[in-house]
């Protein structure tokens, strides 16, 4: 979360300090690569797909049933982005029709652990959040 | 991440087991409250707003500058959802114009810690992800 961002490229005169700074990612900067990665892994379906795959490999349709509510198109796009980023491995067996299985890579597993930690926290917050929403809505209604 | 979801409400005959099950949130179920909370905290701007507020309280415009690229409308919607969920506290001083400051609640701080952990992981992955994307695109170009 340090700044400056990885981009833009420094001029040659900027020397050693900027050479170092170029390697520092800053997710708050809209042009930084890390912002796009974060959006893939926390996007509407990325988090759930990664958390599901933390339980083991899935075939496409089984994963779609697990991630309740995702469309075929959105799941395909989500998995493709995560595969391109190196978090998901796609294995297609040369059968007819092809049997395709998705699993986590090493870095995908580390990432999914963090997401599951986050999800467990959120699930545990449900009673408190429900109470907070009731208080908030009541205060708004009085105002 | 257990199932079944917190909803729907069980009938009286369902007894003690369902009484217990009702308390278990399942983020994979589209109707579960936890799914909506997760979307607020991992949505396009929720993660960044919470991570920024982990550094300290912010006034609206300062927060908007920090979260590079967010529109006024989206930041306002994001903060309102997080306030309603009980993660963000909004303090308006009765001045003209009103001075409004946003900070994290106790549960917001716990949540933001997990998000910062996730962000630091993602930022550290930038070189590996960049390399993975290059390999993926090269393989696609050959196919």
């Amino acid at each position: 979360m340090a700044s400056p961002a990885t981009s833009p490229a420094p001029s040659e005169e900027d020397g050693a300090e900027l050479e170092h700074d170029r390697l520092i990612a800053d997710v708050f900067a809209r042009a930084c690569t890390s912002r796009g990665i974060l959006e893939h892994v926390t996007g509407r379906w990325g988090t759930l797909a990664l958390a599901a795959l933390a339980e083991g490999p899935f075939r496409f349709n089984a994963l779609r049933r697990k991630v309740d509510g995702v469309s075929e198109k959105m799941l395909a796009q989500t998995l493709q982005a995560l595969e391109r980023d190196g978090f998901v491995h796609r294995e297609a067996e040369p059968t007819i029709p092809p049997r395709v299985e998705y699993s986590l890579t090493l870095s995908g597993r580390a990432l999914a652990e963090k997401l599951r930690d986050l999800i467990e926290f959120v699930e545990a917050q449900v009673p408190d959040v429900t109470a907070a929403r009731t208080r908030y809505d009541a205060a708004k209604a009085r105002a």
Side-chain angles (χ1 to χ4, degrees), chain A:
Chain A
M1 259 165 294
S3 46
T6 47
S7 55
S11 73
E12 279 191 23
E13 280 115 17
D14 290 322
E17 197 182 358
L18 268 176
E19 270 304 308
H20 173 255
D21 284 346
R22 269 206 302 164
L23 301 174
I24 299 176
D26 178 12
V27 84
F28 289 110
R30 83 181 98 175
C32 184
T33 305
S34 62
R35 171 81 74 96
I37 305 170
L38 188 70
E39 287 176 0
H40 292 162
V41 306
T42 64
R44 191 168 171 79
W45 302 113
T47 308
L48 295 177
L50 287 163
L53 289 170
E55 295 175 11
F58 273 85
R59 291 179 64 178
F60 186 86
N61 285 324
L63 188 58
R64 199 181 151 201
R65 281 189 297 275
K66 171 80 178 169
V67 182
D68 184 25
V70 70
S71 71
E72 198 171 313
K73 186 183 164 191
M74 284 309 303
L75 184 58
Q77 282 180 8
T78 298
L79 289 169
Q80 194 181 18
L82 294 172
E83 185 194 357
R84 183 168 179 261
D85 286 355
F87 297 124
V88 164
H89 176 66
R90 181 181 184 276
E91 187 79 40
E93 283 179 36
T95 53
I96 298 171
R99 185 192 144 101
V100 183
E101 197 177 71
Y102 295 88
S103 57
L104 295 178
T105 62
L106 263 183
S107 62
R109 266 200 286 277
L111 174 60
E113 271 314 299
K114 297 193 183 298
L115 291 170
R116 285 174 74 91
D117 187 40
L118 177 68
I119 286 172
E120 275 166 29
F121 177 84
V122 165
E123 288 177 341
Q125 295 295 309
V126 168
D128 287 356
V129 168
T130 304
R133 287 178 179 176
T134 304
R135 280 193 304 273
Y136 181 91
D137 293 344
K140 283 279 166 194
R142 278 196 306 273

